[in-house]
Amino acid sequence: MTPRSTSKVEYQCLGRHTIRQRSQKRHRLQIGTFVFTVTLIPSHASHLMSVRRRRVSWNLRLLFIALVALPLLAQMSPQDRSVQLESFEHVWKTIRDKHWDPRPGGLDWQKVHDELRPKAEKAKDANEIRSYIHDMLARLKQSHFKLITYSDFKGLDLENTAWGVGEAGFEARVLGDHAYVVDVQPGVPVSLGWRIRKIRGAEIARAIQAIDGVYKNTNYRDLRQTSMLQSKLMGAPGTGMPVEFEDGQGNAVTKTILLREPRGRAIPFGNLPPTPVWIESRKIGTTGYIRFNMFLDPMRLNTQIGNFATATCAQCDGIVIDVRGNPGGIGILAASVAGWFVSKPNSKLGTMYLRESPLNFIVNPRGQTFKGPVAVLIDGASASTSEIFAGGMQDLKRARIFGTKSAAAALPSIVERLPNGDGFQYAVANYISVSGRTLEANGVIPDEEVRLTPQTLLTGKDAVVEAAVAWIRKGNRK
């Protein structure tokens, strides 16, 4: 047979409307968001040129139809547009009504709305409407105001973790790009410094990457990573949880962890379900050590810290207060706890500015206070009230801070779901420390930066605690 020649035009749309291409020599043509591929097969028979031309003509007509039809397919339906605009409006109104400043960011907020709303109404797709919401939030030039797109919000897996009242008996942190065991309760068959590969068969690396995709360039990465790990290590008490580790020699170790009743006592907090609150204190040689997981349960927290600081540890050479991983709680409790270590009357940690009125965090010294050196330990998961406490004690020169920069999330903020499924985070107050610095977006910077490492943990040592105790024993009181 005489070889035949054809020329045809194939096309594909970037998005969900895709037409499969054939594997022949192609030339790419891009028009807007659409990419077209021209496939050419050379001719070997000139007497069939007219047939080829007719086919080219027909396929070029298909190309013309595609140019007209595909943009129409990509347009939003009226229902989708309504939901996206409703989300735009919800974000704008929330900031108007709940921001601590009646002129958010020093802006005429109504003017911002009147400028961006018409643009959103004319948007071609959902992403363009989102771009105007991002624009709106960016103008505030403030942290804790963030739009989390539906895919990223869903990828955080915040609603599909194994929340329950049982706990694994060990704590984990993301160090670098991997999760490691950083604290173990007695009787749990796990070692410090082990890397966590899988929990219930799910790779932890994927969850870490999902959070990195949203928070990698923010101050909140460590806080979100820690919260994710805590939630995945929870479940029903008495049930077994398979966890795959990697030990210090690189060997895979699989353990079935029996989930136990949580430490401490369940304390209600606002509209949240009861939260287990625990407090631990002990002596490390001649040095006192206090750690608690949240600034809640005021009566018990103050009683236990006060008894330890002024009675049990009255003759200690110093006290270490560990608020690493402590996400906060009741803000004013920072001043209350500080009262056991600050003897000067009328001292102040800072001021929180709300829409209604400012709230001063005044320290009221107790009848008996601990007067020795104090070290406070923080990390990227120390947030809110923990930052107010650590930053205030540092400003008053009553404590030396060890660890890594705090979460820079000193403001009370809320994350809620928008009508379109996106997440929206916003703050409702501002906080300024007694020295005049803003902790939000800046965090508390430690006087001595000390990081946990898998290598040190594998030796059974906590490098941050070791550094704080060493400072106390040298007699430093800076």
Side-chain angles (χ1 to χ4, degrees):
M1 293 178 61
T2 304
R4 299 202 314 171
S5 170
T6 62
S7 245
K8 54 183 173 295
V9 178
E10 300 175 315
Y11 59 91
Q12 66 177 126
C13 168
L14 294 179
R16 59 180 180 175
H17 305 292
T18 303
I19 297 178
R20 191 180 302 276
Q21 302 179 88
R22 295 178 62 182
S23 57
Q24 290 151 345
K25 186 175 180 181
R26 300 177 176 87
H27 297 278
R28 291 168 60 84
L29 169 66
Q30 181 166 346
I31 303 176
T33 59
F34 301 97
V35 175
F36 300 90
T37 305
V38 179
T39 304
L40 300 176
I41 300 176
S43 172
H44 299 288
S46 59
H47 67 280
L48 291 177
M49 186 66 72
S50 61
V51 175
R52 183 179 62 80
R53 287 172 178 163
R54 284 196 297 272
R55 293 186 177 181
V56 170
S57 176
W58 172 250
N59 285 293
L60 286 174
R61 291 173 192 170
L62 290 177
L63 174 59
F64 176 77
I65 293 171
L67 289 171
V68 174
L70 288 178
L72 294 176
L73 291 174
Q75 289 182 354
M76 288 185 292
S77 68
Q79 293 82 1
D80 289 341
R81 182 177 296 278
S82 175
V83 170
Q84 297 297 336
L85 290 175
E86 183 181 353
S87 299
F88 173 95
E89 203 68 18
H90 182 90
V91 170
W92 180 81
K93 286 181 178 179
T94 298
I95 295 171
R96 180 196 65 184
D97 297 338
K98 298 183 179 180
H99 195 280
W100 59 89
D101 188 345
R103 290 177 57 86
L107 302 170
D108 183 332
W109 202 238
Q110 184 64 50
K111 186 176 180 180
V112 172
H113 176 276
D114 295 345
E115 175 191 343
L116 296 178
R117 171 71 190 216
K119 295 179 180 179
E121 291 175 350
K122 296 177 182 178
K124 296 177 181 178
D125 54 38
N127 284 334
E128 187 176 349
I129 293 179
R130 287 190 180 100
S131 73
Y132 296 124
I133 298 177
H134 283 299
D135 185 355
M136 180 197 309
L137 298 178
R139 297 185 186 197
L140 291 171
K141 297 180 180 180
Q142 295 169 340
S143 61
H144 267 54
F145 291 91
K146 181 180 179 64
L147 179 70
I148 308 171
T149 59
Y150 173 74
S151 58
D152 289 334
F153 194 61
K154 184 178 180 182
L156 296 180
D157 199 26
L158 297 177
E159 297 178 347
N160 296 310
T161 49
W163 279 104
V165 295
E167 62 181 24
F170 66 89
E171 294 181 43
R173 292 286 191 281
V174 175
L175 307 177
D177 296 323
H178 304 288
Y180 293 90
V181 177
V182 299
D183 188 68
V184 183
Q185 295 177 39
V188 180
V190 174
S191 295
L192 289 174
W194 279 9
R195 175 186 163 193
I196 303 173
R197 288 180 173 178
K198 296 180 181 179
I199 300 177
R200 296 184 178 89
E203 293 185 1
I204 291 303
R206 292 181 127 189
I208 292 173
Q209 291 168 3
I211 291 178
D212 275 350
V214 180
Y215 294 100
K216 186 173 184 179
N217 296 318
T218 73
N219 292 310
Y220 319 127
R221 175 183 179 270
D222 290 352
L223 183 62
R224 299 301 182 191
Q225 300 285 26
T226 300
S227 177
M228 176 272 294
L229 289 172
Q230 288 177 340
S231 68
K232 288 186 178 297
L233 291 171
M234 291 180 176
T239 61
M241 178 181 65
V243 182
E244 182 180 315
F245 302 92
E246 180 182 299
D247 66 15
Q249 288 71 47
N251 302 314
V253 180
T254 300
K255 298 282 187 179
T256 298
I257 307 298
L258 183 65
L259 297 178
R260 53 178 66 186
E261 293 290 341
R263 286 184 287 174
R265 186 167 66 187
I267 302 298
F269 182 46
N271 294 321
L272 297 176
T275 301
V277 176
W278 51 261
I279 309 160
E280 66 177 60
S281 58
R282 67 178 188 273
K283 288 185 179 181
I284 304 174
T286 57
T287 304
Y289 176 85
I290 301 171
R291 187 183 179 210
F292 49 100
N293 67 323
M294 290 195 77
F295 281 84
L296 294 178
D297 199 357
M299 183 67 72
R300 187 164 63 103
L301 183 65
N302 273 301
T303 299
Q304 288 193 218
I305 291 178
N307 288 341
F308 182 79
T310 62
T312 306
C313 214
Q315 302 304 314
C316 287
D317 55 10
I319 291 181
V320 176
I321 304 174
D322 192 345
V323 291
R324 290 176 297 174
N326 187 321
I330 300 173
I332 202 65
L333 260 180
S336 181
V337 171
W340 293 107
F341 305 95
V342 176
S343 57
K344 183 179 179 180
N346 300 316
S347 297
K348 184 171 72 170
L349 300 182
T351 303
M352 181 167 286
Y353 295 91
L354 303 160
R355 171 67 72 93
E356 297 80 12
S357 62
L359 175 64
N360 291 314
F361 285 65
I362 302 295
V363 178
N364 293 313
R366 309 288 176 161
Q368 185 178 358
T369 60
F370 179 81
K371 295 179 174 59
V374 176
V376 177
L377 313 187
I378 61 172
D379 64 8
S382 303
S384 190
T385 310
S386 293
E387 295 182 278
I388 292 172
F389 174 75
M393 292 286 282
Q394 185 182 48
D395 284 348
L396 293 173
K397 301 187 184 304
R398 186 60 190 93
R400 188 165 181 81
I401 313 300
F402 294 80
T404 57
K405 189 177 81 167
S406 65
L411 304 188
S413 69
I414 297 170
V415 178
E416 62 184 20
R417 187 182 293 277
L418 296 175
N420 65 357
D422 290 348
F424 172 44
Q425 180 184 29
Y426 61 95
V428 294
N430 193 22
Y431 179 82
I432 306 296
S433 73
V434 67
S435 66
R437 60 177 169 166
T438 302
L439 297 182
E440 183 68 16
N442 298 309
V444 178
I445 308 300
D447 297 300
E448 290 190 30
E449 183 178 42
V450 186
R451 294 183 177 274
L452 292 176
T453 66
Q455 293 76 20
T456 305
L457 288 167
L458 285 168
T459 67
K461 296 180 179 180
D462 184 322
V464 187
V465 173
E466 298 266 327
V469 171
W471 169 76
I472 287 173
R473 290 179 182 171
K474 285 180 181 178
N476 293 319
R477 298 169 187 250
K478 295 180 182 179

